[in-house]
Amino acid sequence: MSDNPYLPYRARIEEIITETDDYNLKSFKLAFLNQEDEQQFHYTPGQFCEISIAGKGEIPIGIASSPTEKGFLLFTVNKTGVVTRYLHNMKEGDMVGVRGPLGNWFPWEAMEGKNVVVIGGGFAFTTLRSSIVFMLHPDNRSKFKDITVVYGARSPGLLLYKEELWEWEKRDDVNVHITVDATEDPEWQYNVGFVPTITEKKITTSENSYALVCGPPIMIKFTQPVLEKVGFSPEQIIMSLEMRMKCGIGICGRCNIGDKYVCKDGPVFSLAQLNELPNEY
Amino acid sequence: MSETVITREEIKEFIKSLQGSYEVFAPVREGGYHRFKQLTGDEAADLDFSNTRLSPKSLLFPQSERMFEFTLDETNEDSHILKETPKEYPPAVVFGIRPCDAKALRLVNVNFDNPEFTDPWWAKRLDSMTFIGLGCNDPCSTCFCTSVGCGPFHEEGLDILLFDLGERYLAKALTDKGEQLLGQGGFQEDADVDTRKRAGELKKEAEHKISSHVPTDKLKDKDLLNLFDAPFWDEVAFACINCGTCTFLCPTCWCFDIQDEVSKNQGDRIRNWDSCMFPLFTLHASGHNPRSEKVQRARQRFMHKLKYYVDKYGNGVACVGCGRCVNYCPVNIDIREVFKLMNEW
């Protein structure tokens, strides 16, 4: 980052993709305006950025692209507050700011040589997409054993990155289980059922494994016992948290859980770490 | 380091002379209270005070501060681009700061200037300042600095410490910066043995006058979750109205918000003091709020100061015992009681 950690890099919106059929989720492909900025921006899957819009403010958003994808950063944004609403109405070519990369990342060193189970629900699939793309890259695939993905949304139209999901589904170097809570689509050829239910069917061992779990609180609540049943220890269950943030660098004081700041000490925590912190998130 | 004797008249002249090459901030009386203010013209410091109502933290960390500016005028090629708000950091002297407030700046500094990130505005201001402290001959009944690693003549964070000996001051230089500044005064009289002895006695007498004591010895080894889940928080927070007075007055509260403000086509990114007492502090855009209840917010303030900070920095508690929150809490919540509850739990 620059000398002033609050100063965003300049970036341009290169492409906007409407991800879901309720139009509430859009992905933004951003390109750095200055090449030097791009060259010094090194990130690892699991990290996030503050996206800055002059006059509106900043929002912390997970990086959905993988460092193996060059030339752009991808962010998928849910329309909820002041900044996200404004961003959703912006157009390709518009200027935004990017501050980051911020926070820690998934435990990639520890996961080498291990099976990796990726469990995601709804729109909490952004840094998981980054992780999957990263692991499937030819330079990295051999570092991991079996990769299994369970990803679900309420309906087919609410799944993110659909084209990629169908592609991954066909590959033989990753086991992908796509599911929806319910659908009336007679053509639907994947699973129907809640994420915890599908996880219970598909994930039968915790041996030599890590599970990356991101999703709404209700999904996490019911997935956790399923993983524990097949022997996942709290150290093997990795989660990424959200919190209201401002500075993103552990200074402004609002995103703490106990003595940890989600923006700097997180957003990635193992369940073992979370068990030692107050249940205030 | 030198120890010099300065008369009351000399120090007035000295402070006045500094105004030529420094911005000088000192306590002045306004209404019924004292506050730190930049001295201009013939305005003089008023040292007849116990402490300022507001802590001097705003000299380094203003309650509201422009960070960046931008234009939204599309015809301007830099439209929507944030640029640092131009600022100057002229050398400044903070005169008459109490030792507790000077120590507080050191406690806060670990947040604003840490191994990973440096807050440029805080760091540059701190660097530009020389702190002349004034020891407390007569601490208040609510002062408990001696319990929290501080004291009425504590030297941490100061460049010069003044002992008020009646008609004269003993000025003790504590850093090179302080020595250099004192040198500019051209004071002739080195403190003799008797004067030094008198200053030492003054310090002992002041420490002895402090009647409030709080226990802190067990806080470090307490289990964080155990303290968090302790039943006394409901009682502590019962009368709290989440007004935020304690956090605004506190010399070690540093939380801030960042907001964009736009007028016509010109805008600023501004940071403002914020408070963990307010529900909006942690409200997610989704509507979820991890600290939606006032008991959670009151607990956060005390846990942050007396446990999280202690665990994170290994630097003692984030409290200097100035007693402001005790004096000004509208519902009489007393941090000294909370010290006891937490330490004894």
Side-chain angles (χ1 to χ4, degrees), chain B residues 65-190:
Chain B
E65 169 165 36
R66 287 188 170 86
M67 309 167 79
F68 302 105
E69 54 191 30
F70 48 86
T71 175
L72 301 180
D73 177 2
E74 303 279 349
T75 63
N76 187 317
E77 61 171 14
D78 284 343
S79 160
H80 294 86
I81 304 237
L82 269 66
K83 295 189 172 164
E84 259 190 72
T85 306
K87 277 178 200 169
E88 285 175 7
Y89 305 89
V93 169
V94 180
F95 174 66
I97 185 173
R98 292 298 189 185
C100 56
D101 288 336
K103 179 183 163 93
L105 297 177
R106 305 317 306 179
L107 293 178
V108 175
N109 192 52
V110 297
N111 178 61
F112 282 109
D113 194 356
N114 63 58
E116 289 128 302
F117 299 104
T118 297
D119 186 284
W121 300 290
W122 168 278
K124 283 178 192 165
R125 284 206 187 90
L126 186 62
D127 200 42
S128 73
M129 287 177 170
T130 306
F131 295 95
I132 307 179
L134 176 62
C136 300
N137 289 4
D138 293 300
C140 306
S141 63
T142 46
C143 289
F144 56 99
C145 51
T146 48
S147 298
V148 287
C150 189
F153 288 83
H154 194 69
E155 298 176 355
E156 201 179 344
L158 289 173
D159 299 296
I160 298 167
L161 175 60
L162 297 178
F163 294 76
D164 183 349
L165 303 170
E167 282 313 302
R168 311 178 308 159
Y169 291 97
L170 174 102
K172 187 175 175 188
L174 302 167
T175 63
D176 291 342
K177 230 180 184 177
E179 188 81 83
Q180 212 182 355
L181 192 80
L182 265 187
Q184 294 182 35
F187 306 113
Q188 302 299 323
E189 191 184 340
D190 280 342

Side-chain angles (χ1 to χ4, degrees), chain A:
Chain A
M1 290 214 274
S2 70
D3 290 346
N4 187 330
Y6 301 98
L7 182 67
Y9 296 122
R10 304 167 185 192
R12 186 176 50 233
I13 302 175
E14 293 285 289
E15 193 184 345
I16 302 176
I17 306 146
T18 302
E19 293 283 355
T20 56
D21 63 6
D22 65 356
Y23 302 100
N24 272 331
L25 282 130
K26 287 185 180 177
S27 288
F28 298 82
K29 257 190 190 177
L30 307 185
F32 287 97
L33 232 56
N34 301 321
Q35 206 136 38
E36 317 85 80
D37 294 347
E38 180 172 357
Q39 273 158 10
Q40 61 163 306
F41 189 96
H42 300 292
Y43 68 101
T44 307
Q47 289 191 283
F48 71 98
C49 289
E50 287 277 354
I51 297 180
S52 160
I53 298 175
K56 296 295 165 189
E58 294 187 312
I59 41 166
I61 304 284
I63 307 174
S65 51
S66 156
T68 54
E69 298 172 297
K70 302 293 178 195
F72 67 94
L73 292 174
L74 186 74
F75 298 94
T76 301
V77 179
N78 186 26
K79 189 170 70 179
T80 26
V82 174
V83 182
T84 54
R85 266 171 211 288
Y86 191 86
L87 185 60
H88 266 244
N89 287 324
M90 289 176 84
K91 56 187 190 303
E92 289 164 5
D94 283 349
M95 306 294 292
V96 295
V98 173
R99 210 148 59 76
L102 302 169
N104 68 351
W105 44 85
F106 293 120
W108 294 108
E109 272 185 30
M111 291 196 293
E112 280 194 18
K114 303 284 197 312
N115 302 310
V116 179
V117 178
V118 176
I119 303 172
F123 50 80
F125 195 60
T126 58
T127 56
L128 294 181
R129 180 210 175 263
S130 169
S131 302
I132 295 165
V133 173
F134 176 76
M135 289 188 286
L136 293 181
H137 190 271
D139 289 352
N140 298 326
R141 183 60 191 90
S142 61
K143 294 178 194 162
F144 307 96
K145 292 195 161 167
D146 292 349
I147 300 173
T148 310
V149 178
V150 179
Y151 174 45
R154 289 204 305 278
S155 65
L158 293 178
L159 290 162
L160 301 181
Y161 319 124
K162 292 179 201 55
E163 294 305 318
E164 278 177 314
L165 292 178
W166 316 147
E167 288 302 314
W168 292 339
E169 227 270 337
K170 288 180 205 146
R171 290 175 70 142
D172 56 11
D173 58 351
V174 55
N175 307 306
V176 177
H177 307 289
I178 303 161
T179 185
V180 291
D181 295 355
T183 179
E184 288 170 4
D185 179 3
E187 309 276 298
W188 180 251
Q189 46 186 308
Y190 308 101
N191 301 284
V192 177
F194 295 123
V195 167
T197 316
I198 304 303
T199 305
E200 189 162 21
K201 279 188 196 156
K202 308 292 182 185
I203 311 297
T204 52
T205 174
S206 61
E207 212 186 311
N208 201 29
S209 299
Y210 271 94
L212 309 182
V213 187
C214 296
I218 188 81
M219 183 206 96
I220 289 175
K221 185 179 169 189
F222 288 103
T223 302
Q224 202 177 308
V226 168
L227 291 174
E228 282 164 357
K229 214 165 100 185
V230 290
F232 277 90
S233 69
E235 288 78 13
Q236 289 170 279
I237 301 177
I238 311 296
M239 306 209 263
S240 181
L241 301 187
E242 291 189 320
M243 203 56 106
R244 182 178 179 131
M245 294 174 188
K246 290 285 174 173
C247 74
I249 53 176
I251 291 182
C252 81
R254 77 195 54 238
C255 71
N256 75 298
I257 304 173
D259 62 347
K260 302 281 182 276
Y261 286 117
V262 173
C263 71
K264 192 167 110 176
D265 304 311
V268 175
F269 294 93
S270 71
L271 181 58
Q273 290 171 312
L274 290 178
N275 286 343
E276 289 176 7
L277 293 173
N279 185 15
E280 200 174 62
Y281 47 91

